[in-house]
Amino acid sequence: KESAVTELTEELLPDGLDIIELPGHSDAQFGLRTCDDVVFLADCLVGQETLDKYRISHIFDVGRYLETLEMVKGLSAALFIPSHGAACTDIVPLAQANIDNTLEIMEDILDFCAEQALIFDDIMAALFEKYSLRFDLGQYVLNGTTVKAMLTYLHENGRMEIVTERN
């Protein structure tokens, strides 16, 4: 059944809520700041426990994701609430952990590909093996989106050549 969708804007929010744009994890992601100075960060970063367990989190646009995390490090608030992590008063260490994790994964991809040219599935297999991740279709699809975004970022920044053969 069709339903009407209205873009969420500051004018539509109740008094005391402000939108914080948080692109990268997804295209139009946003968080909210409340009048009592609590910042809800949505999925722009994940908690350390989630990073440790899954290692590869969903990223749609790596460049914007890293920019968002740098911006988040500069925020001040009484309390930060990430979607996949514990509430905290200092977001800088967690934001930096997410940045470091993302950069490390991309360095691992470059290391794998420096040894020999790899197809996408070989890169995925190498990452799953290195990080001791259990393969299942859901993780393959979710992590595959992130790895493709990372490959695009590395290519667009001149750090990797991507070659297409046989169409």
Side-chain angles (χ1 to χ4, degrees):
K1 180 178 172 182
E2 289 186 26
S3 60
V5 176
T6 304
E7 182 179 352
L8 184 61
T9 62
E10 294 277 348
E11 297 78 33
L12 295 175
L13 287 175
D15 288 341
L17 290 180
D18 295 310
I19 292 175
I20 303 170
E21 293 184 17
L22 302 168
H25 168 78
S26 60
D27 191 35
Q29 182 173 251
F30 65 90
L32 295 171
R33 180 184 294 273
T34 66
C35 60
D36 55 349
D37 206 26
V38 176
V39 172
F40 291 85
L41 291 168
D43 286 333
C44 80
L45 47 67
V46 297
Q48 190 63 55
E49 185 175 301
T50 303
L51 273 181
D52 293 343
K53 181 176 181 181
Y54 294 106
R55 194 58 198 273
I56 304 171
S57 62
H58 178 75
I59 302 172
F60 176 76
D61 181 324
V62 174
R64 293 181 79 195
Y65 175 76
L66 294 171
E67 289 170 5
T68 291
L69 291 175
E70 288 295 341
M71 181 273 297
V72 165
K73 285 172 41 179
L75 293 176
S76 62
L79 191 65
F80 294 96
I81 314 287
S83 290
H84 302 284
C88 60
T89 56
D90 181 5
I91 200 64
V92 173
L94 186 56
Q96 190 62 53
N98 278 257
I99 291 168
D100 293 345
N101 183 67
T102 301
L103 296 175
E104 185 178 329
I105 293 167
M106 289 192 292
E107 287 302 319
D108 287 339
I109 291 170
L110 290 170
D111 289 346
F112 298 147
C113 294
E115 297 170 14
Q116 63 179 338
L118 296 175
I119 63 171
F120 174 74
D121 283 338
D122 290 338
I123 295 168
M124 288 290 291
L127 289 170
F128 271 62
E129 184 175 321
K130 177 164 185 167
Y131 303 144
S132 301
L133 300 174
R134 194 177 126 271
F135 179 84
D136 66 46
L137 189 56
Q139 286 300 312
Y140 176 82
V141 171
L142 185 66
N143 292 343
T145 300
T146 299
V147 172
K148 288 175 184 176
M150 290 177 169
L151 292 170
T152 300
Y153 178 83
L154 291 167
H155 176 71
E156 289 175 349
N157 286 278
R159 300 205 50 215
M160 167 180 273
E161 181 180 0
I162 296 178
V163 177
T164 303
E165 294 181 1
R166 293 180 280 164
N167 201 21

